[in-house]
Amino acid sequence: VILVTLVLSTHHVVTQRVDQAIQYKALEEFYHATGGPTWKNNSGWLDGPPCGKDWRQIDNRVWHGLICNLENGVTNMNLINNGLKGALPDS
C-alpha cells in the first residue's frame, strides 16, 4: 500500500509540474502578444511562477490580474482596462 501511494504521489507531482510549465508558456505568449511591457499594470508578470511560489506564504506574489486555485493553477484573468493590445495567441 505504501509503494502504491508513493507512486501515485510522484505521478501527481510530475503531472502538476508539466501542467504548470505549459501554463507558464501560454501566459508568457499571451503577455508578449498583447503588449505586456506597456500594460498599465504588469506587476509580477514573468517574474517567478504565475501563481507565486506557495499560496500559504504571506508574501506570495501572483502576477497582476490572475486568480489562482489552491494547487497554484490559474483559474481566471482580470485585465480589464489594462491597456492590452494585439491578437490572442493560439496557445
Side-chain angles (χ1 to χ4, degrees), residues 20-32 34 36 39 41-54 59-68 72-79 82:
Q20 287 178 350
I22 292 169
Q23 178 176 261
Y24 182 93
K25 182 69 175 159
L27 289 168
E28 179 182 34
E29 289 175 13
F30 171 81
Y31 177 81
H32 289 296
T34 59
W39 292 352
N41 185 346
N42 62 4
S43 64
W45 278 79
L46 308 185
D47 182 25
C51 295
K53 294 182 181 171
D54 187 345
D59 63 347
N60 190 38
R61 295 193 48 138
V62 175
W63 296 1
H64 171 76
L66 299 185
I67 299 168
C68 302
N72 287 338
V74 176
T75 58
N76 286 308
M77 295 175 69
N78 183 354
L79 296 168
N82 203 32

